C-alpha cells in the first residue's frame, strides 16, 4: 500500500520543503539501530510512525512505514508505505506486534493522541526521543544559537511527560558517539566543522526552520572560531571523549 484515506498531517508542507536529500545526511547509526532492534523484541510486524526515509527499520521483520510527507516516503526504500499522520493511523486495533517512532514525536501536533494511536494499533511501543531540559546542552546552543534551545523547548515535550503518557516501563540513555552517522543536531558535538555544510543544516529540522538571518551570522562566528582555534581551546575536554549524554533516550512500553 502507498496511500491512506487518513491523509497527511500538518507537517507535510515542512518536510516536503526540507526533506529533499535527507537520506544522504541522516544515515542510520548501527549502534542505535541495534538498540532499537533489541527493544522491539520478538515482534514480527512493525509499524514505523514518522518513518521518514526509513532509518532504523529492522531487517527481518515486516515493516509498514507511515509518514505525512510524500517527499520523505519517496526516499523510503520499503514496499509498505502509508501517507498519514500519527494522530490518525489507518489500521485496526492490534494490527501490529510493535510500533516504533524515532526522533519524530516533537513534530506531532497532538502528542498524547499520537501515543494513544501507537498503543491502539500495537502490543509494544518503542520510541526514541530527546529531553530538551537535559544538561549539559550541546555547545551549539549555548555559544552560537540559543534560538535553537528556545525552539526545541517549545516543541519537545519534557521527557517525564512522554514517559507518563506512553506508560513506558523502560527508559534507556543513549550517549551520542563521537562518530555517530545519523546527522541530527548533536551528532557533530566533536566535529563542529560539519555544521558549516549547508546540506548538513538542511537535513536538520531545527536549522531548516530558523530564519537565515539568525543562522548565517552564527555560522560565520563558528567558522571564525574554528579558523582561529578558539573553539578547540574552549572544548579541549570534549576532544578526549568518545561519547556524551545529551539527553537522548529510548523508551519502551507494552508487552
Amino acid at each position: 500500500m502507498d496511500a491512506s484515506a487518513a491523509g497527511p498531517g500538518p507537517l507535510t508542507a515542512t518536510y516536503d520543503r526540507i526533506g529533499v536529500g535527507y537520506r544522504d545526511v541522516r544515515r542510520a547509526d548501527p549502534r542505535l539501530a541495534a538498540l532499537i532492534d533489541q527493544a522491539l523484541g520478538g515482534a514480527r510486524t512493525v509499524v514505523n510512525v514518522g518513518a521518514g526515509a526509513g532509518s532504523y527499520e529492522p531487517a527481518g521483520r515486516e515493516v509498514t512505514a507511515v509518514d505525512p510527507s510524500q517527499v520523505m516516503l519517496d526516499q523510503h526504500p520499503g514496499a509498505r508505505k502509508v501517507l498519514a499522520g500519527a494522530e490518525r493511523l489507518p489500521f485496526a486495533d492490534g494490527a501490529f506486534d510493535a510500533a516504533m517512532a524515532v526522533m519524530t514525536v516533537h513534530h506531532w501536533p497532538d502528542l498524547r493522541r499520537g501515543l494513544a494511536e501507537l498503543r491502539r494499533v500495537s502490543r509494544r511501543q518503542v520510541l526514541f526521543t530527546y529531553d530538551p531540559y537535559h544538561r549539559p546542552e550541546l555547545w551549539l546552543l549555548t555559544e552560537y544559537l540559543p534560538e535553537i534551545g528556545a525552539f526545541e523547548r517549545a516543541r519537545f515535550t519534557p521527557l517525564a511527560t512522554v514517559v507518563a503518557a506512553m506508560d513506558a516501563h523502560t527508559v534507556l540513555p543513549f550517549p551520542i558517539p563521537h562518530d555517530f552517522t545519523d546527522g541530527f543536531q548533536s551528532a557533530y558535538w566533536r566535529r563542529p566543522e560539519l555544521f558549516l555544510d549547508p546540506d548538513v543544516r538542511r537535513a536538520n529540522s531545527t536549522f531548516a526552520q530558523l530564519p537565515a538571518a539568525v543562522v548565517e551570522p552564527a555560522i560565520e562566528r563558528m567558522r571564525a572560531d574554528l579558523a582561529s582555534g578558539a573553539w578547540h581551546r574552549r572544548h579541549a575536554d570534549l576532544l578526549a571523549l568518545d561519547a556524551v549524554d545529551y539527553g537522548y533516550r529510548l523508551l519502551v512500553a507494552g508487552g
Side-chain angles (χ1 to χ4, degrees):
M1 59 187 128
D2 57 11
S4 158
L11 281 174
T12 301
T14 298
Y15 270 90
D16 282 355
R17 174 172 55 85
I18 73 174
V20 177
Y22 186 92
R23 194 178 178 195
D24 296 334
V25 175
R26 302 297 296 270
R27 294 176 291 114
D29 186 274
R31 291 155 291 195
L32 178 55
L35 188 66
I36 291 170
D37 188 56
Q38 182 179 17
L40 288 168
R44 182 182 63 83
T45 58
V46 178
V47 59
N48 184 13
V49 179
S55 294
Y56 302 107
E57 292 183 355
R61 305 179 198 252
E62 183 181 298
V63 180
T64 298
V66 175
D67 201 274
S69 166
Q70 189 62 53
V71 166
M72 299 304 293
L73 287 179
D74 286 346
Q75 298 177 71
H76 192 292
R80 300 177 182 86
K81 297 185 283 189
V82 176
L83 188 69
E87 295 82 2
R88 291 181 60 201
L89 296 177
F91 308 113
D93 295 358
F96 300 93
D97 296 330
M100 59 182 286
V102 178
M103 289 301 290
T104 180
V105 296
H106 53 290
H107 293 304
W108 297 357
D110 188 334
L111 173 71
R112 292 182 182 277
R113 183 174 175 182
L115 292 176
E117 281 288 88
L118 261 61
R119 297 180 68 180
R120 180 183 68 79
V121 303
S122 68
R123 174 178 55 81
R124 185 177 184 87
Q125 301 81 44
V126 175
L127 190 154
F128 184 68
T129 190
Y130 159 75
D131 184 0
Y133 297 96
H134 179 85
R135 295 297 180 270
E137 285 186 294
L138 180 66
W139 52 262
L140 176 72
L141 282 59
T142 55
E143 297 173 16
Y144 298 101
L145 282 164
E147 294 86 354
I148 288 181
F151 184 61
E152 291 191 339
R153 285 186 290 274
R155 66 179 185 153
F156 275 87
T157 303
L159 183 70
T161 303
V162 181
V163 170
M166 70 180 290
D167 194 21
H169 54 69
T170 302
V171 180
L172 298 175
F174 184 77
I176 304 298
H178 72 92
D179 55 352
F180 196 64
T181 63
D182 189 347
F184 59 68
Q185 185 174 276
S186 296
Y188 305 124
W189 60 267
R190 215 179 83 175
R191 296 170 289 168
E193 66 280 359
L194 291 176
F195 284 121
L196 305 181
D197 184 341
D199 289 337
V200 167
R201 299 197 301 274
R202 273 192 293 269
N204 184 288
S205 63
T206 305
F207 271 112
Q209 293 181 78
L210 286 177
V214 171
V215 173
E216 290 176 3
I219 294 301
E220 289 309 308
R221 291 196 303 274
M222 188 189 305
R223 190 188 307 276
D225 284 352
L226 290 171
S228 70
W231 185 93
H232 292 83
R233 289 191 294 273
R234 282 200 304 271
H235 298 293
D237 57 332
L238 288 181
L239 299 176
L241 301 178
D242 290 328
V244 177
D245 183 359
Y246 283 118
Y248 293 86
R249 298 292 184 267
L250 186 74
L251 313 182
V252 185

